[in-house]
Amino acid sequence: MLAGFSWLIFRILAGPHVWDFQFFLTTRNARDASLAAGMWTVGYTLRWIIGCAFLILGIYYLGAEAGFDAEKIMPLVLKKLPIGMRGLFMAILLAALMSTLSAMINVTSSVVTNDFLKRYFGKNLKQKQLVRFGQLASIIAITLAFIFSLSFKNIVSAWETMIFVIVTMILAPATMRWHWWRFSARAFVWSMILSAVIIIGQKMFLTGWPVHYWLAFDSLLSFVICIIMGFVFSPTSMDVLVKFYSRVRPFGFWKPVRLEAERQGLIPVNDSLPRYDILNGFLTVIFQVAMALIPFFLFLRQWENMISWIAVFGVLSIILYFTWYKKLPAADEI
């Protein structure tokens, strides 16, 4: 429970991943982006209902037959379902898989063409050429992913590798970019590269430790690398940082930028919004846990626990209405 709670806090601090940004960039203004984030939080949590349902069905109907092996429960449960229901569940699972893969492949193409090729190597390329390069990047990404998947022996090993990649390569640098003014784009890139080297080295040469030890060690080491890279590379220009801070107003280590933004009159003195963001971050974690546990206890028919978490969910909904929803920017605010 504590590990899951810590993971959710870490995930919220890091903000959206690269592929998540597409969802927010389609909004019309800052208010719609904030509302989309709220809907994303709810939808992201509700997906665990189907996973919870499979787990409970597997334990209840299969028992020892499943061997409490996570890789066996889902296919065995599917075999127990009626044929029509079995097809419906397979369609749901495949739709979720396809939507996730398509989003990640699409954003891979976008990053390669817009953030690298168009910006640094092909400023004079025509739009049709950029589209072709984007298609080529998608094909290469799919091919590499397929080849890499052959190295996994089971679902657990694939999941562990994904967690290591997310935590050390993405979450640590992604957290620093929002909460430390010195952490520039170059620091972000090099932190990810060095974190990747750590993962590869650990997977190749150091396999004796339990997974949870390595996860904690790699996370801490990745943060240390981020701090070092933040001092190695120069921060982004103050003008850009002030413009960013005045629009986003993140919490964290932004004192020089905040003071300059206050001096220019772009934000109010002693702005309370970052403090509300800190509070809402912790409340949202409990809010998500409550949403996930309510159906879990419902399926287990543990009514007292379910009612307790419904009460927690209701109280937090009221609090977040005042601390988050009422603090949203106006529709015409840029």
Side-chain angles (χ1 to χ4, degrees):
M1 185 73 172
L2 179 61
F5 188 79
S6 302
W7 165 261
L8 284 174
I9 292 178
F10 197 10
R11 182 67 180 83
I12 290 174
L13 287 174
H17 292 319
V18 177
W19 50 87
D20 294 332
F21 266 116
Q22 285 192 325
F23 178 67
F24 299 104
L25 291 175
T26 57
T27 57
R28 296 172 297 180
N29 48 52
R31 181 180 179 85
D32 285 353
S34 299
L35 292 173
M39 292 301 299
W40 180 84
T41 300
V42 174
Y44 187 84
T45 306
L46 291 178
R47 67 178 183 165
W48 295 109
I49 293 178
I50 188 171
C52 177
F54 271 108
L55 176 63
I56 300 302
L57 287 172
I59 294 175
Y60 184 78
Y61 289 109
L62 302 174
E65 183 183 351
F68 294 98
D69 188 336
E71 296 189 43
K72 295 179 180 178
I73 287 180
M74 183 174 291
L76 288 175
V77 169
L78 286 175
K79 290 181 180 179
K80 296 288 184 178
L81 295 176
I83 293 179
M85 187 65 68
R86 191 186 310 171
L88 177 62
F89 269 92
M90 286 300 299
I92 293 173
L93 294 173
L94 288 174
L97 174 64
M98 291 171 62
S99 65
T100 302
L101 289 178
S102 62
M104 297 184 70
I105 294 170
N106 187 33
V107 79
T108 299
S109 172
S110 177
V111 168
V112 170
T113 55
N114 294 324
D115 295 343
F116 289 97
L117 188 61
K118 188 176 180 179
R119 179 174 296 182
Y120 299 110
F121 305 106
K123 296 182 179 180
N124 298 322
L125 289 176
K126 297 180 180 179
Q127 189 65 31
K128 185 176 181 180
Q129 292 174 312
L130 290 173
V131 171
R132 295 302 183 193
F133 277 113
Q135 293 171 341
L136 179 62
S138 298
I139 295 173
I140 293 175
I142 295 172
T143 304
L144 291 176
F146 175 76
I147 295 173
F148 189 63
S149 68
L150 298 177
S151 64
F152 296 129
K153 297 180 180 179
N154 48 50
I155 295 176
V156 174
S157 63
W159 178 255
E160 289 176 354
T161 301
M162 186 184 72
I163 292 297
F164 274 105
V165 171
I166 290 177
V167 170
T168 57
M169 278 189 61
I170 300 177
L171 285 189
T175 300
M176 300 297 284
R177 68 179 174 178
W178 293 108
H179 306 293
W180 188 27
W181 70 278
R182 285 195 59 92
F183 201 67
S184 62
R186 290 184 178 180
F188 182 92
V189 171
W190 279 103
S191 296
M192 290 186 64
I193 292 173
L194 294 177
S195 297
V197 172
I198 292 174
I199 296 174
I200 295 173
Q202 180 259 319
K203 286 292 184 181
M204 292 178 61
F205 304 109
L206 302 172
T207 58
W209 278 13
V211 174
H212 55 281
Y213 286 167
W214 272 119
L215 188 60
F217 177 78
D218 285 355
S219 301
L220 179 61
L221 191 58
S222 182
F223 269 111
V224 172
I225 291 173
C226 289
I227 294 173
I228 294 174
M229 292 299 103
F231 285 107
V232 168
F233 295 100
S234 300
T236 307
S237 67
M238 184 58 70
D239 291 339
V240 175
L241 290 174
V242 168
K243 183 178 180 181
F244 168 80
Y245 185 86
S246 62
R247 296 185 64 181
V248 180
R249 289 147 77 181
F251 63 89
F253 303 97
W254 288 89
K255 185 176 180 179
V257 182
R258 176 176 57 81
L259 293 177
E260 180 61 23
E262 290 178 354
R263 188 188 67 81
Q264 296 182 20
L266 299 175
I267 61 171
V269 178
N270 295 323
D271 185 18
S272 62
L273 186 59
R275 292 191 288 272
Y276 276 107
D277 286 341
I278 297 174
L279 173 63
N280 291 334
F282 284 98
L283 293 179
T284 302
V285 171
I286 306 175
F287 182 82
Q288 287 184 278
V289 171
M291 277 196 297
L293 289 180
I294 289 171
F296 184 80
F297 288 123
L298 172 64
F299 295 145
L300 289 176
R301 299 182 181 181
Q302 296 185 8
W303 309 119
E304 292 184 1
N305 289 329
M306 186 189 74
I307 293 173
S308 298
W309 281 103
I310 289 176
V312 172
F313 177 80
V315 171
L316 289 177
S317 298
I318 296 173
I319 295 175
L320 287 171
Y321 174 79
F322 291 101
T323 61
W324 174 71
Y325 183 78
K326 298 292 286 185
K327 302 292 182 180
L328 291 178
D332 57 350
E333 184 175 337
I334 299 177

